[in-house]
């Protein structure tokens, strides 16, 4: 059966994906970082299944809340979880052989968890998974390079906590600069990939793939993608100063050519009776959005047709919000952010409308009732006039402008805790935010 979706509903599962026992070093919501410890199960497969149980519990809250009047194939339900949803007790899932890539197992388990029989009109962007392929992680952890950089960072962090006045800023600058230098010659390469499973066929703008699984990869590592040190004294943790992400060549654009390449823009088809006959989506993980990843190539993407354009920009994040200079969606396009680190303001559990970071949007926050250090948010904006120029600073360039959306059809759902939650997540069960519950948004007018 050909699906002819004309409407979209955005569903965000905002659950804190930051580490347990957090100690803030600087402002983690700005240029700072954190120390802490990674929750999870030592057995990789058990850890993945526990995290999927938490994710499915949230998706079920959303599914049972949806109206029964949606005609099959008419409304696409786009479900997004935050960055770093999948990780191990060391930080990344560490593996040795190319054929043992953890994302293969995670995608297979996600495929079983969200079958078309239960979620026929759903596409899931299940946050991201961090992984690292190394021959012997024990040797890396014991190496002089790792030992020295970890000792320096922990000492600087502890002295930052002890210092006050101007010296506090001096120590922090030393810490940030040291970590940046460490990123230039890492001890190990780490991959951070968004995981997409869909019950609507996934294709690319240039290739007909007909797949139901994809990954998209991040390239911009921040100061806080990993902990600076483990606050429980664990010594086998992969730290921020040990890591770097792989380079991604964007000189020819960001259109995916295969399901598991590093690129960001994919396509879903909607049948010959619609105009347009497809919608193009782009996934921009956290700090890649700040780096204007999708916008930088809006003028030179190798689109097959002149009418092609990115229409839905998706940001799974842990410490990011929509930034006006980074918006690449076309006229009437959407930008949806699901974050697992901080709230946009003090509101909690209510739908809000206003300007955040120069973006007119609707949004909702989640704050953990037990510890306000754990929070998250979701955020939806719709483009009025699209951006002009891939470089926001170039003469003649213009950032996108935005429509004013209402809050009357945003549902905020509490998520009950399941037994697996406390094993994997430190900030409570999170919340599900549904944008367009009863009246989903038209893809196009």
């Amino acid at each position: 059966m050909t699906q002819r979706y004309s409407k979209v509903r955005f569903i965000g599962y905002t659950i804190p994906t930051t580490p347990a026992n957090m100690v803030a070093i600087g402002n983690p919501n700005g240029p700072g970082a954190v120390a802490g410890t990674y929750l999870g199960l030592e057995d990789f497969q058990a850890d993945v299944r526990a995290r999927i149980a938490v994710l499915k519990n949230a998706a079920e809250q959303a599914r049972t809340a949806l109206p029964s009047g949606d005609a099959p194939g008419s409304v696409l339900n786009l479900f997004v979880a935050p960055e770093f949803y999948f990780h191990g007790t060391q930080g990344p899932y560490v593996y040795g052989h190319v054929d043992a890539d953890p994302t293969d197992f995670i995608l297979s388990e996600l495929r079983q968890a969200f079958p078309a029989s239960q979620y026929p009109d759903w596409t899931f962007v299940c946050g991201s998974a961090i992984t690292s392929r190394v021959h012997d992680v024990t040797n890396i952890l014991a190496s002089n390079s790792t030992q020295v950089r970890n000792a320096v960072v922990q000492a600087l962090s502890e002295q930052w906590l002890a210092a006050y006045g101007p010296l506090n800023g001096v120590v922090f600058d030393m810490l940030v600069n040291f970590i940046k230098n460490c990123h230039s010659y890492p001890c190990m390469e780490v991959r951070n990939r968004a995981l997409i499973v869909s019950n609507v066929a996934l294709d690319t703008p240039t290739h007909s793939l007909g797949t139901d699984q994809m990954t998209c990869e991040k390239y911009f590592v921040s100061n806080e993608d990993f902990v600076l040190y483990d606050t429980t004294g664990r010594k086998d943790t992969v730290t921020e100063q040990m890591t770097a992400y792989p380079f991604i060549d964007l000189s020819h654009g960001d259109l995916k050519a295969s399901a598991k390449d590093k690129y960001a823009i994919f396509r879903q088809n909607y049948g010959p009776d619609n105009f347009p006959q497809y919608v193009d989506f782009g996934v921009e993980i956290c700090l890649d959005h700040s780096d204007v990843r999708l916008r930088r190539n809006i003028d030179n993407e190798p689109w097959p047709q002149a009418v092609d354009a990115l229409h839905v920009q998706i940001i799974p994040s842990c410490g990011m919000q929509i930034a006006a200079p980074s918006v690449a969606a076309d006229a009437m396009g959407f930008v949806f952010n699901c974050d697992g680190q901080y709230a946009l303001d003090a509101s909690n559990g209510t739908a809000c409308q206003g300007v955040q970071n120069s973006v007119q949007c609707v949004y909702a926050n989640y704050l953990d009732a037990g510890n306000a250090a754990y929070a998250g948010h979701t955020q939806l904006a719709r483009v009025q006039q699209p951006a002009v120029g891939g470089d926001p600073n170039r003469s003649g360039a213009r950032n996108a402008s935005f429509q004013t959306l209402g809050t009357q059809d945003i549902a905020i759902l509490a998520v009950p805790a399941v037994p697996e939650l406390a094993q994997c997540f430190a900030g409570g069960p999170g919340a599900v935010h549904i944008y367009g519950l009863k009246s989903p948004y038209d893809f196009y007018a």
Side-chain angles (χ1 to χ4, degrees):
M1 177 180 177
T2 301
Q3 290 136 323
R4 298 182 176 87
Y5 297 95
S6 59
K7 297 178 182 293
V8 60
R9 180 182 287 119
F10 296 91
I11 305 169
Y13 179 32
T14 176
I15 180 172
T17 49
T18 42
N21 306 313
M22 278 196 303
V23 175
I25 310 297
N27 177 12
N29 298 337
V34 297
T37 190
Y38 291 111
L39 292 184
L41 301 175
E42 294 293 339
D43 180 81
F44 159 65
Q45 293 189 355
D47 184 81
V48 168
R49 288 175 175 140
R51 293 175 189 275
I52 291 177
V54 175
L55 191 68
K56 178 147 187 173
N57 178 52
E60 280 296 291
Q61 306 309 308
R63 186 169 74 106
T64 56
L66 297 187
S68 59
D70 292 347
S74 64
V75 181
L76 178 71
N77 296 298
L78 179 61
F79 182 100
V80 183
E83 182 188 26
F84 300 133
Y85 190 89
F86 291 95
H87 65 75
T89 55
Q90 291 181 273
Y93 296 122
V94 180
Y95 65 109
H97 193 276
V98 64
D99 293 334
D101 187 340
T103 62
D104 293 336
F105 177 76
I106 300 172
L107 287 168
S108 175
E109 293 292 304
L110 287 168
R111 177 69 286 158
Q112 295 180 53
F114 300 114
S117 60
Q118 297 178 26
Y119 301 90
D121 299 310
W122 290 59
T123 293
F124 296 85
V125 180
C126 300
S128 73
I130 51 175
T131 65
S132 183
R133 183 165 72 92
V134 297
H135 288 292
D136 193 332
V137 70
T138 302
N139 284 344
I140 291 175
L141 291 164
S143 70
N144 175 265
S145 179
T146 294
Q147 295 286 318
V148 169
R149 64 183 72 196
N150 283 350
V152 170
V153 166
Q154 183 162 352
L156 286 172
S157 299
E158 291 172 345
Q159 292 311 307
W160 179 86
L161 291 166
Y164 61 91
L167 185 59
N168 183 267
V170 172
V171 174
F172 185 72
D173 288 344
M174 293 173 63
L175 175 64
V176 170
N177 289 330
F178 183 79
I179 292 172
K180 286 180 178 178
N181 285 325
C182 289
H183 285 161
S184 298
Y185 53 102
C187 300
M188 55 196 296
E189 185 179 80
V190 177
R191 302 181 70 183
N192 186 347
R193 286 171 283 179
L195 307 171
I196 305 168
V197 294
S198 180
N199 293 315
V200 182
L202 298 167
D203 287 310
T204 77
T206 57
H207 295 72
S208 179
L209 301 177
T211 185
D212 61 3
Q213 301 174 17
M214 280 184 172
T215 61
C216 302
E217 192 150 354
K218 181 183 180 184
Y219 63 78
F220 198 155
V221 65
S222 76
N223 292 326
E224 58 166 332
D225 281 3
F226 301 88
V227 297
L228 301 185
Y229 60 91
D230 187 285
T231 50
T232 67
R234 183 168 176 157
K235 298 302 183 183
D236 64 345
T237 299
V238 175
T239 59
E240 181 67 37
Q241 56 272 12
M242 294 170 60
T243 63
Y245 292 148
F247 170 74
I248 300 177
D249 179 10
L250 297 175
S251 63
H252 66 317
D254 218 341
L255 307 188
K256 293 188 72 63
S258 63
K260 295 183 180 179
D261 65 24
K262 297 178 180 180
Y263 296 101
I265 298 174
F266 65 94
R267 170 170 293 178
Q268 292 190 293
N269 294 314
Y270 297 91
D273 294 341
N274 281 20
F275 180 81
Q277 296 180 16
Y278 44 75
V279 175
D280 290 323
F281 300 73
V283 176
E284 202 169 35
I285 304 172
C286 202
L287 205 60
D288 283 7
H289 179 67
S290 179
D291 198 46
V292 198
R293 172 174 176 164
L294 287 174
R295 180 176 173 183
R296 69 175 66 243
N297 279 308
I298 59 174
D299 295 326
N300 58 7
E301 290 285 7
W303 299 104
Q305 302 180 50
V307 297
D308 294 338
L310 177 68
H311 195 62
V312 181
Q313 189 169 354
I314 306 165
I315 309 166
S317 67
C318 186
M320 180 56 60
Q321 58 184 293
I322 301 171
S326 301
V327 171
D330 64 354
M332 295 195 71
F334 299 91
V335 190
F336 187 57
N337 169 227
C338 182
D339 179 78
Q341 179 171 318
Y342 67 89
L344 293 175
D345 56 31
S347 64
N348 182 26
T350 59
C352 303
Q353 189 276 331
V355 176
Q356 293 285 346
N357 198 24
S358 302
V359 175
Q360 180 69 242
C361 61
V362 286
Y363 62 94
N365 297 308
Y366 166 79
L367 295 171
D368 177 27
N371 186 341
Y374 292 95
H377 68 269
T378 60
Q379 184 183 14
L380 177 67
R382 188 162 201 183
V383 172
Q384 181 72 40
Q385 294 293 328
V388 174
D391 180 352
N393 295 320
R394 181 171 293 178
S395 176
R398 183 188 69 222
N399 293 342
S401 62
F402 302 94
Q403 300 180 22
T404 300
L405 302 175
T407 61
Q408 64 275 7
D409 200 30
I410 300 174
I412 298 174
L413 308 179
V415 178
V418 292
E420 296 87 350
L421 176 73
Q423 299 171 322
C424 299
F425 297 95
V432 169
H433 301 160
I434 304 177
Y435 294 77
L437 174 65
K438 296 180 180 178
S439 299
Y441 302 92
D442 290 326
F443 266 123
Y444 294 90

